[in-house]
Amino acid sequence: MDELDRQSFIKLLHAMVMKCFGHPLEGPLSEPESKHLSLDIEERTGLVIGWRSLKNYVAFALNPSSDKQENPSMPTLDTLARYVLEAPATSEAERKKTGEQASYWFRYREQLSIAPKANVPQAIPAQKQSIGYVVALVLIAFIFGFLLLHQSNLEQFEEDFSHVDEAELAQKGWFVQDINAAFWKRRTEQPGHLTLFTLKGDNWPKTGEAPRVQNLLLRDIKNDCFRTELHLNAFMPTGNWQQAGILLLEDTLFTGKSIRLSLAYNDFFGGLKHPAEILIQGTASYGKGDRNLEEFIHQPLFQLGSDTARRIASANMKNVAFRIEKQGQKFRFLYSASPVENSSFKEITTYEFGMKPRYVGLFALKGFMDSTANMPVALRYFRLEGQRCE
């Protein structure tokens, strides 16, 4: 790698971090940050760069004079350039087929090296040059300050649940509501995860029952527009109304508006005979006094009519993830279900709802059912990102 390539590579890494995290590169990436960056690159480009490589590249960019030199391949440089330049998504096979394994890298490098040489203007008097420089600097400072202030207010939070002791959860902004001590103590049963249980309770109104969700894990939402994401590990509900997912709430007492997105089990069809199903359910509530929730998502994923169907469902539910994006009153809902981690998300629907969530909650419940089992649910990853409102 010559000096031009080296400098272009370093600038590309700085641009990559700014694009993904919304702030300049100031220090090494943590393992969760590196994994998030790897996933974001794959989602946007269709191409894969391992998180460990990205972590090493960033370390090199922070200390380019170190003895150890990074020497990324041309396809890797091209993938990073595609990510920064927002190129259309592709695949490794398609990129090889078209022979464009470095075209975006060359384009990015050329953009950095281009300098105007023709049509050189005549000399400008020194006094006018000074005034022009001052005006330009003031304008640049104003724009930079505005963007920096705007970006600094956007929350960026990730949780990999590698440490789930109460003090550390609280330090990171989590708090737990309606604690069931016996089951909350079991949250560490699966290392590297936080384990909740489908305990009795629901925010769906029922006569004679107060809304409650035991061991509801909550944190504040600081931005009006945001994206949040939750990954579950090998959760396959087996009885009504076992489910787990994300709650968006205006308050923590279930008196205000709310949205719930969950993976659930259903075998109730109003007297009709159908195989039991595992589905994605989305509900919206206008709050206290609104006893008829709106079910705006009822998307069956798998029917469980036979042992073969159950085996297929179990294999494809080893990794289930949800994503919710909010822009103004418009909510966008996506999911992923796959035998492998970090499979692509698929949009379920968009939904307009006049709500300003103040809290995001992670939950597991079984409704007000005594006969249904208290099934464990392992949470593997969570993310909450503030977004600019468009």
Side-chain angles (χ1 to χ4, degrees):
M1 180 177 285
D2 61 23
E3 187 60 25
L4 174 60
D5 283 345
R6 184 169 171 271
Q7 292 300 323
S8 299
F9 178 47
I10 292 171
K11 290 179 181 179
L12 181 59
L13 294 172
H14 280 268
M16 169 192 73
V17 170
M18 175 62 81
K19 179 174 181 59
C20 182
F21 300 104
H23 59 75
L25 175 57
E26 297 172 344
L29 295 184
S30 65
E31 181 176 328
E33 288 172 332
S34 302
K35 289 181 177 178
H36 165 53
L37 176 58
S38 176
L39 176 60
D40 199 45
I41 290 173
E42 183 178 0
E43 288 179 349
R44 293 176 183 269
T45 68
L47 303 165
V48 178
I49 301 178
W51 68 267
R52 288 187 178 86
S53 296
L54 292 169
K55 196 172 190 298
N56 292 335
Y57 294 157
V58 168
F60 168 72
L62 291 167
N63 187 19
S65 61
S66 62
D67 294 336
K68 182 181 178 182
Q69 297 295 318
E70 294 293 338
N71 190 25
S73 66
M74 280 295 178
T76 296
L77 293 170
D78 187 67
T79 299
L80 293 174
R82 284 172 178 267
Y83 176 69
V84 169
L85 296 175
E86 299 184 351
T90 184
S91 66
E92 202 62 61
E94 185 64 24
R95 182 164 64 171
K96 289 180 180 178
K97 180 180 178 182
T98 57
E100 295 184 346
Q101 291 184 276
S103 58
Y104 281 88
W105 161 245
F106 291 139
R107 185 183 306 178
Y108 180 83
R109 190 181 63 174
E110 288 168 5
Q111 287 179 359
L112 295 179
S113 62
I114 290 175
K117 297 179 181 179
N119 300 323
V120 179
Q122 295 181 355
I124 300 174
Q127 185 177 6
K128 290 185 178 180
Q129 283 185 338
S130 299
I131 295 173
Y133 291 151
V134 171
V135 172
L137 288 173
V138 170
L139 183 59
I140 291 170
F142 174 78
I143 294 172
F144 180 76
F146 174 79
L147 292 175
L148 185 63
L149 178 64
H150 197 56
Q151 287 282 4
S152 64
N153 293 327
L154 297 180
E155 181 178 17
Q156 304 289 324
F157 177 79
E158 284 186 283
E159 174 65 79
D160 64 359
F161 299 111
S162 56
H163 302 285
V164 294
D165 58 278
E166 290 184 337
E168 186 157 350
L169 287 173
Q171 186 178 13
K172 291 187 287 188
W174 294 107
F175 61 100
V176 186
Q177 180 170 286
D178 204 346
I179 292 181
N180 182 317
F183 284 96
W184 181 242
K185 289 178 181 177
R186 298 173 60 184
R187 66 187 180 278
T188 61
E189 285 190 350
Q190 187 168 339
H193 299 71
L194 184 138
T195 301
L196 300 178
F197 291 83
T198 56
L199 304 178
K200 184 177 179 179
D202 211 327
N203 69 315
W204 192 297
K206 182 179 180 181
T207 302
E209 299 282 1
R212 66 178 304 204
V213 178
Q214 299 186 68
N215 294 342
L216 175 61
L217 188 64
L218 293 159
R219 68 178 297 108
D220 296 341
I221 298 175
K222 298 178 182 178
N223 301 109
D224 182 44
C225 299
F226 59 86
R227 178 173 73 172
T228 188
E229 187 175 312
L230 174 65
H231 293 240
L232 309 175
N233 186 45
F235 172 54
M236 183 171 171
T238 58
N240 283 342
W241 292 95
Q242 287 175 338
Q243 58 190 283
I246 301 175
L247 261 172
L248 301 179
L249 300 165
E250 287 188 335
D251 62 72
T252 60
L253 301 176
F254 304 111
T255 59
K257 295 177 182 177
S258 65
I259 284 178
R260 185 175 82 188
L261 181 66
S262 59
L263 182 73
Y265 175 94
N266 174 45
D267 61 12
F268 177 75
F269 301 98
L272 299 175
K273 290 186 177 181
H274 292 289
E277 63 184 9
I278 292 176
L279 70 147
I280 297 173
Q281 184 185 59
T283 62
S285 170
Y286 282 90
K288 188 175 181 180
D290 179 38
R291 303 196 63 80
N292 295 93
L293 275 63
E294 180 175 351
E295 186 183 44
F296 61 90
I297 296 173
H298 187 113
Q299 179 166 318
L301 293 183
F302 303 100
Q303 290 190 332
L304 308 176
S306 66
D307 291 340
T308 299
R310 290 187 182 89
R311 284 196 298 272
I312 293 173
S314 178
N316 284 278
M317 293 179 63
K318 289 182 179 179
N319 298 279
V320 174
F322 291 119
R323 178 181 291 172
I324 303 175
E325 299 173 355
K326 179 182 184 294
Q327 277 287 332
Q329 295 187 9
K330 183 178 180 180
F331 293 81
R332 182 170 178 246
F333 300 88
L334 306 94
Y335 83 99
S336 171
S338 172
V340 298
E341 292 184 10
N342 301 332
S343 178
S344 61
F345 279 90
K346 302 175 181 65
E347 181 178 294
I348 310 171
T349 190
T350 57
Y351 179 70
E352 291 199 10
F353 191 51
M355 171 191 177
K356 291 188 176 181
R358 294 181 57 207
Y359 304 95
V360 56
L362 311 182
F363 74 93
L365 57 84
K366 62 177 181 179
F368 297 103
M369 304 286 293
D370 292 314
S371 57
T372 304
N374 300 319
M375 174 176 281
V377 182
L379 311 186
R380 179 170 62 86
Y381 175 79
F382 170 82
R383 177 169 62 177
L384 177 61
E385 293 181 337
Q387 303 281 305
R388 288 192 297 271
C389 292
E390 299 174 358

